[in-house]
Amino acid sequence: FPSHDILADKGHIYLMGHSEGSAVIAMLAAKNNSLKNPIHGIIGVGTPLVEGMEIIKFQNEESMKVMKLSDAEVRVYMDLVSQFLLFSKERSQKERSSTSPKIAPLTIQEFDTAYALLVRQWEERISPATVKRLKKRMNKISKQEFDALNKASFQSVVYNKWIGYFLGLNPYTYWSNELVHRVIINGELDSQVPEMLTSQPAKTLESQNAQNPKNKQFTYLVLPKHNHLMQECVTGSVDEYQQIEQTTSELFLTTLLNQLNSMSADSELH
């Protein structure tokens, strides 16, 4: 859009994306050579730098820990969920492959059968105390409503084409593009895209980028005590979001402006 907007400065196009969106802007920037008006720089916020499968599995595992499941029960849950995630990832890869034979769409009946088996295995392997605790956590939501929401989330994993694609996508590949300025701003306490999964890939990018002075800049910043939404926080957990009145922190906005100015230092920004 900005490359065709008559009011846009074609020589200074910057893109910013949050979470999965930061992978999308990096993918678009990788097509720079085919764009009429190339992208000057990209800024990722809450940016994953590992395969989507790792991110989704981490998020599921953390959500179970918040519910105070035992380590054994978390392992059971993750074993079952991982089967669905892997199925979706591999199915998506086959659908997009030019060499794999065409696969038939998964029917609702086939999904219902697989989902019913997963639920039965889960219920057989968790303790009565955990069942009681989960029911208490549901508060005013009925079991039927909870079951419907849970089933819908598994349906999205299997039928949503973007999720299937994201599970096998590693944004690192696109963020290694050295032809554009790149800035990543993540939160120290991000519980959705944890720093523990992004710090090492980021360090590798920094090291690779420094080897050639002709490369465009790459900057990786971690804001202390910030969550996935760039809010100042205590724990960073999803449950804490609703307790925070701040839309986004002043530190994040200042950092964003400074990095934008830095990226545009090699040309006049209007």
Side-chain angles (χ1 to χ4, degrees), residues 115-130:
Y115 180 73
L117 176 61
L118 180 146
V119 171
R120 185 166 66 252
Q121 290 177 332
W122 166 245
E123 291 177 344
E124 288 173 352
R125 297 166 71 179
I126 61 172
S127 69
T130 298

Side-chain angles (χ1 to χ4, degrees), residues 156-197:
S156 69
V157 168
V158 174
Y159 289 106
N160 187 299
K161 290 187 179 296
W162 165 249
I163 292 179
Y165 178 73
F166 178 72
L167 287 169
L169 172 68
N170 190 340
Y172 177 92
T173 304
Y174 299 98
W175 276 92
S176 61
N177 173 19
E178 296 159 346
L179 300 178
V180 296
H181 292 298
R182 294 149 294 148
V183 173
I184 291 177
I185 306 174
N186 283 3
E188 176 193 22
L189 299 180
D190 190 332
S191 63
Q192 293 181 258
V193 180
E195 209 262 330
M196 61 181 283
L197 289 183

